[in-house]
């Protein structure tokens, strides 16, 4: 398991626009594959249960950090299946981020903005470290979405459960240990071809955003 990270701290680096070419000091604006935003129904602000907006803001903040983190991941991966997986994940997290922004706004709150930068839990200097960071990001998000599932009603709960399952599966593909979540089927055994050999578990020091 990954220790839940502290709140993101601003860093002088800018928010990356997408996974970059390997060796780049900063994530570049390489285009990401199109991803259809997850469907989330809107709930009138008057019927939002206590704590729902705060939980949604927490999920939104975690997705901001994931989008940033995958920019770093993409900058250190070779141009192969791993980078393709990173681009797919990047697009998925952008779509989730946008969906939560819309939902928070529909509830009468101002969606939390992304920080200028985020403190990484460890230095990412090569492909192996990039894989560990990806596993760390996804594992951290499973915790966030487990909390969100219990805080929101109806359609929003379904969307949160879908996000939880997706993050758990991506974490497994990046080499994180399997975690048991109620209602989520086990991932078929066997390592994923895209998981780096040295990324058998996510880092436990610190956290991203």
């Amino acid at each position: 398991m990954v220790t839940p990270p502290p709140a993101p701290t601003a860093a002088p680096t800018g928010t990356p626009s997408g996974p970059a070419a390997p060796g780049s000091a900063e994530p570049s604006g390489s285009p990401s594959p199109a991803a259809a935003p997850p469907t989330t129904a809107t709930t009138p602000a008057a019927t939002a249960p206590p704590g729902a907006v705060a939980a949604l803001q927490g999920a939104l903040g975690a997705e901001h950090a994931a989008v940033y983190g995958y920019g770093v991941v993409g900058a250190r991966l070779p141009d192969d299946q791993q980078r393709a997986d990173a681009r797919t994940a990047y697009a998925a997290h952008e779509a989730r981020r946008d969906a939560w922004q819309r939902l928070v706004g529909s509830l009468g709150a101002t969606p939390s903005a992304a920080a200028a930068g985020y403190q990484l839990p460890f230095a990412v200097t090569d492909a192996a470290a990039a894989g560990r960071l990806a596993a760390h990001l996804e594992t951290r998000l499973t915790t966030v979405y487990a909390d969100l599932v219990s805080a929101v009603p109806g359609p929003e709960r379904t969307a949160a459960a879908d996000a939880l399952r997706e993050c758990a599966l991506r974490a497994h593909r990046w080499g994180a240990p399997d975690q048991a979540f109620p209602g989520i089927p086990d991932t078929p055994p066997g390592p994923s071809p895209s998981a780096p050999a040295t990324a058998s578990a996510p880092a436990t020091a610190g956290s991203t955003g």
Side-chain angles (χ1 to χ4, degrees):
M1 273 294 293
V2 174
T3 301
T9 56
T13 57
T15 303
S17 58
S24 301
E26 293 295 332
S28 75
S30 301
S32 300
T39 301
T40 56
T42 58
T43 301
T47 63
V53 173
L56 287 165
Q57 294 278 34
L60 174 56
E63 289 292 5
H64 281 313
V67 169
Y68 179 93
Y70 266 103
V72 177
V73 169
R76 295 302 182 190
L77 291 176
D79 192 8
D80 59 9
Q81 185 59 48
Q82 286 186 354
R83 183 184 288 187
D85 290 345
R87 289 184 185 278
T88 299
Y90 178 88
H93 288 300
E94 280 191 316
R96 288 287 177 195
R97 176 202 63 191
D98 295 346
W100 299 139
Q101 283 178 326
R102 291 192 297 271
L103 181 55
V104 169
S106 77
L107 295 174
T110 300
S112 61
Y118 293 88
Q119 181 178 347
L120 299 178
F122 48 82
V124 180
T125 58
D126 56 24
R132 291 195 301 273
L133 178 58
H136 178 89
L137 293 169
E138 299 293 353
T139 303
R140 186 255 172 149
L141 279 163
T142 61
T143 301
V144 171
Y145 281 126
D147 291 340
L148 185 61
V149 166
S150 66
V152 294
E156 291 77 25
R157 179 173 295 171
T158 298
D162 288 343
L164 169 58
R165 181 179 184 278
E166 290 168 7
C167 291
L169 292 175
R170 279 194 295 265
H172 174 84
R173 286 196 293 269
W174 286 111
D178 290 335
Q179 302 179 70
F181 293 102
I184 297 178
D186 293 337
T187 303
S192 166
S194 65
T198 57
S200 58
T204 56
S207 93
T208 298

